[in-house]
Amino acid sequence: MQDIFISTLPALLDNWTEAFPKSTIAAAVPEVVNVAKSKGKNGEATIFWLHMNEDRQQWMANTIASIARNYNDAKIVILANLPNQAESIHALRLGAMGYCHAYIAPAVLKEIKAVITHGGLWLGQDILQSLIEVSTKLIGNQPEYVDGLLAKLTSREKEVAIEAAKGLSNKEIARILSITERTVKAHLAKTFERLGAKDRLQLALMLNSNYKH
């Protein structure tokens, strides 16, 4: 996938460049003449990283609409200088698949790309935790269903999955279980594969009855 950053900045931020050395930056979404060109170079799909400065709500809506008109299969991530929950929900409603801080670490940008490329959603830790808390109050899976899912996991994968479903970060899970963050990532990757979950929010909704008490 090619990465295009849409920003009023004159150049890519260092963390953007480090994450995606071959990425480009533009002040507006490049328009295409026809659908045949909508996948960019070499038939690759495109990820647009939209840089949100303050008071750019209408710009975000217009830009996402422009991408939808001009690019088939494009994925959108919002990069916010000052992330907030209301804006993140609004971005998802408009069609974005990710929302994070504009100055987030390069390694996390790569992880975000991996998640949304496989159809998942990415939200900041605080926002994700709030969504999980709200969602699990509205939806309650049967214990038998949850037990069936957990039975597909190894004992360690089960421990990691339960903590992740609470909205905890990899760092927090690693500390609780006395393992490394790298090990947490590996277990989560296997868990997503075994259960067919695309992201942490979906995992939480699948396992929510496990920690409603």
Side-chain angles (χ1 to χ4, degrees), residues 30 33 74 105 111-112 157 159 172:
V33 177
E111 190 173 349
I112 292 171
E157 288 167 358
E159 291 175 339
E172 290 171 325

Side-chain angles (χ1 to χ4, degrees), residues 3-47:
D3 300 279
I4 300 177
F5 288 83
I6 307 300
S7 175
T8 57
L9 295 176
L12 293 162
L13 294 177
D14 290 343
N15 59 320
W16 303 350
T17 303
E18 186 176 338
F20 311 117
K22 296 182 180 180
S23 61
T24 58
I25 187 170
V29 176
E31 294 192 357
V32 292
V33 177
N34 53 49
V35 175
K37 294 182 179 179
S38 67
K39 283 199 173 183
K41 299 177 181 178
N42 303 318
E44 293 181 340
T46 304
I47 296 182

Side-chain angles (χ1 to χ4, degrees), residues 49-87:
W49 304 80
L50 309 187
H51 183 206
M52 286 285 293
N53 292 323
E54 294 76 3
D55 302 323
R56 301 190 77 191
Q57 290 284 342
Q58 193 56 50
W59 173 86
M60 178 172 68
N62 292 341
T63 302
I64 291 177
S66 177
I67 293 170
R69 286 194 305 270
N70 287 281
Y71 290 81
N72 282 355
D73 304 322
K75 299 183 185 298
I76 300 168
V77 178
I78 304 301
L79 301 166
N81 283 352
L82 298 171
N84 68 78
Q85 185 171 343
E87 184 176 82

Side-chain angles (χ1 to χ4, degrees), residues 126-173:
D126 292 341
I127 296 169
L128 175 63
Q129 200 152 15
S130 296
L131 278 178
I132 288 175
E133 289 174 359
V134 172
S135 300
T136 54
K137 289 177 182 177
L138 300 176
I139 303 174
N141 290 327
Q142 294 299 316
E144 296 80 6
Y145 169 76
V146 176
D147 289 342
L149 293 176
L150 294 176
K152 298 179 181 180
L153 307 177
T154 66
S155 58
R156 185 59 97 179
E157 288 167 358
K158 177 180 177 180
E159 291 175 339
V160 171
I162 289 173
E163 298 305 326
K166 296 175 183 176
L168 299 185
S169 67
N170 288 352
K171 186 174 183 178
E172 290 171 325
I173 296 171

